[in-house]
Amino acid sequence: MKHVCVIGAGVVGSATAMALAREGFQVTLVDAADRPGQGASRANGAQLSYSYVEPLATPAALRQLPGWLLSRDSPLSWQPRWQLSHWCWLAAFIRACTQARVQQTTEALLRLSFLSRDVLARWQREAPAEQPLGVQVRQAGKLVIHRDAGKRDAAQRQVAWQARFGCRQRVLDAEACRRQEPALAHDRAPIAFGIWTPDEAVTDAQQLSQALATASGARWRMDTRVAGFVQRDGRVHALRCVDAGRPDREREIEADAFVVSAGPGAAALLQPLGVQLPIEPIKGYSVSLQVANAARAPQVSVTDAARKLVYARLGERVRIAGFAELRGADLRIDPRRIQAMLQAATDTFPGAFQTGDPEPWAGLRPSTPSSRPLIGATRIGGLWLNTGHGALGLTLACGSAWLLSQLMQDRTPSIDAAPFSLAG
Ligand SMILES: Cc1cc2nc3c(=O)[nH]c(=O)nc-3n(C[C@H](O)[C@H](O)[C@H](O)COP(=O)(O)OP(=O)(O)OC[C@H]3O[C@@H](n4cnc5c(N)ncnc54)[C@H](O)[C@@H]3O)c2cc1C
């Protein structure tokens, strides 16, 4: 049996461990944190956003960019860094902002997201009765509310175009939006229209990471930072690792193959090998609010398109997430972002939440310029990638993992794997 070592126990690495274990590989899961799901997967937006996979790089984003960058309160901010890789990433991002590229990427990501939905459902269904997967996936449906009536025609066209690929979506007027989510009745800002997608779901990414890492039966090596690779005859042969609390001592972990799922840490890890990954960390924030009045809190997933914020009901809490900051690997929490989310939550769902302990969190989306993840072989023997899932890692994790497990066995999966190569 082949031994594969997966670096990174976020939602993508944990799903990779699961997919490989199901194919009969012996798997070791290595992470610098003390348990799975402590990086970008910790407190993200919780959206299994199967029909909302449009890339970040679009012609509209390019047009809005100057305004966003100049405004203090804009959902997007950028701090230039004097690093060649940063400017190469930006140039590739701008090149990706064409309608043709957006359509190709959206189509490819829709195939991957639907595959992900099927793979997760299969894993849940096939889990042994005495050991269920241990994660709650709720088909909440998603309502995207728009405040600007001028966007309706474009939204309608997008819904019609996506229907060709199997997305079930409806355009609703303001009244129908409030019927779909009665908690919006108290929203202080007018709603122009909404898009309702009944098939969308929510789940807690940290819980899913933990559940998959456990169900995989992989050997865990937590508190273990990968410092580098040992190569022999053009192949990676082992990892050089440092245990937390023992920074002075390095040890090696050998395996037949290695998968890098180190999220925002992947590019730095592979740079010494001469493998340049086009991944930039894009920071986002979340708060998790205790529900104070159940009738006033949303049950369905709500996206406020104007504020670029998502709301997901997770039991007695609502997770609110958003913002995109291109400022390197800086995880500091800007209190103005937290305040903006609390204000938006209070305006949209007045009286719904306790805001005293908002559990502020920031995470780094491992983002490629085109929003396509990097799934497949590198030019170094034994070294594989499953990373760069950007704003959609939770949504795409299970399909990406299955896809990689097939590629690692020289199988041509039924889904066209080409769009997910390093060329992205
Ligand atoms: C605010 C916000 C909201 C989001 N909302 C959603 C959403 O609603 N839906 C969705 O689909 N996606 C969402 N995302 C995106 C999603 O969270 C990410 O795409 C996903 O978590 C990436 O998972 P990952 O496993 O690749 O990375 P991570 O979860 O970051 O895992 C990488 C792991 O690698 C480990 N690691 C890194 N370097 C090393 C090393 N050298 N040695 C050992 N271990 C290492 C880290 O400790 C970490 O645990 C959101 C992201 C943010 C920030």
Side-chain angles (χ1 to χ4, degrees):
M1 191 197 317
K2 248 186 155 183
H3 176 209
V4 182
C5 190
V6 179
I7 306 164
V11 71
V12 175
S14 300
T16 305
M18 177 75 173
L20 289 170
R22 283 177 60 102
E23 296 289 332
F25 290 93
Q26 182 197 334
V27 184
T28 300
L29 191 54
V30 183
D31 201 294
D34 62 351
R35 57 195 192 283
Q38 297 304 295
S41 309
R42 182 156 173 200
N44 72 11
Q47 316 272 325
L48 289 164
S49 203
Y50 298 120
S51 295
Y52 282 89
V53 296
E54 194 182 63
L56 200 57
T58 62
L62 198 58
R63 277 195 302 277
Q64 284 170 299
L65 211 56
W68 281 341
L69 298 180
L70 291 172
S71 155
R72 244 173 90 85
D73 300 325
S74 111
L76 189 133
S77 76
W78 172 51
Q79 192 170 49
R81 296 198 315 282
W82 307 118
Q83 258 172 19
L84 184 61
S85 58
H86 176 62
W87 292 94
C88 289
W89 190 95
L90 286 174
F93 179 88
I94 290 168
R95 282 199 303 278
C97 289
T98 67
Q99 199 49 39
R101 289 282 298 276
V102 171
Q103 288 202 345
Q104 283 163 9
T105 303
T106 305
E107 195 182 328
L109 292 182
L110 281 174
R111 276 182 287 146
L112 185 57
S113 77
F114 291 152
L115 173 69
S116 287
R117 186 173 60 193
D118 294 347
V119 170
L120 177 55
R122 196 188 322 143
W123 289 352
Q124 283 186 295
R125 209 174 44 241
E126 293 177 2
E130 65 284 5
Q131 204 185 353
L133 203 51
V135 65
Q136 219 205 340
V137 178
R138 190 170 67 89
Q139 191 181 327
K142 186 201 276 281
L143 181 62
V144 178
I145 50 171
H146 289 265
R147 313 285 186 181
D148 176 358
K151 301 227 159 109
R152 189 177 174 128
D153 286 351
Q156 185 97 55
R157 278 197 301 276
Q158 183 73 13
V159 165
W161 182 73
Q162 291 205 173
R164 289 201 263 161
F165 307 106
C167 300
R168 295 197 304 143
Q169 298 181 295
R170 269 186 300 130
V171 181
L172 305 182
D173 63 21
E175 230 3 83
C177 288
R178 289 186 203 101
R179 275 199 302 278
Q180 196 66 62
E181 177 45 79
L184 283 169
H186 312 282
D187 187 355
R188 290 181 183 142
I191 296 172
F193 68 97
I195 311 287
W196 170 242
T197 313
D199 298 328
E200 305 288 77
V202 293
T203 193
D204 184 284
Q206 185 185 355
Q207 209 183 72
L208 182 61
S209 310
Q210 182 94 23
L212 294 175
T214 305
S216 71
R219 180 171 187 192
W220 292 14
R221 294 290 188 93
M222 299 293 118
D223 287 317
T224 304
R225 184 174 62 81
V226 178
F229 299 87
V230 182
Q231 287 187 76
R232 192 184 296 157
D233 305 325
R235 284 185 70 81
V236 174
H237 165 75
L239 301 178
R240 289 193 293 108
C241 296
V242 181
D243 292 342
R246 301 289 305 268
D248 50 320
R249 225 189 80 197
E250 263 190 19
R251 66 190 169 87
E252 293 185 0
I253 300 180
E254 292 184 3
D256 301 305
F258 300 84
V259 180
V260 177
S261 293
L269 192 59
L270 294 194
Q271 199 178 23
L273 295 181
V275 177
Q276 311 290 344
L277 299 186
I279 294 179
E280 275 278 319
I282 299 188
K283 179 156 78 172
Y285 295 86
S286 76
V287 291
S288 302
L289 303 179
Q290 190 72 40
V291 171
N293 180 343
R296 289 198 162 214
Q299 278 291 349
V300 311
S301 282
V302 173
T303 298
D304 189 331
R307 293 187 172 111
K308 303 214 175 304
L309 291 179
V310 297
Y311 297 76
R313 180 78 174 256
L314 296 170
E316 289 312 301
R317 290 184 173 266
V318 170
R319 172 84 44 79
I320 305 162
F323 301 115
E325 297 185 351
L326 207 54
R327 296 169 166 267
D330 172 4
L331 270 171
R332 279 174 300 182
I333 292 181
D334 179 345
R336 286 174 311 165
R337 296 301 203 190
I338 304 304
Q339 195 45 47
M341 283 193 283
L342 294 179
Q343 188 62 53
T346 312
D347 289 347
T348 312
F349 301 105
F353 310 118
Q354 288 171 22
T355 51
D357 177 19
E359 299 179 21
W361 176 81
L364 301 171
R365 304 175 182 93
S367 305
T368 62
S370 64
S371 296
R372 286 176 187 221
L374 308 173
I375 305 170
T378 68
R379 59 183 170 68
I380 298 180
L383 187 62
W384 298 78
L385 298 175
N386 192 6
T387 190
H389 292 74
L392 287 169
L394 174 60
T395 305
L396 302 177
C398 298
S400 306
W402 180 83
L403 188 57
L404 183 75
S405 74
Q406 302 304 299
L407 294 172
M408 287 181 77
Q409 297 173 89
D410 288 328
R411 291 192 193 139
T412 312
S414 54
I415 175 171
D416 175 11
F420 308 106
S421 71
L422 267 176

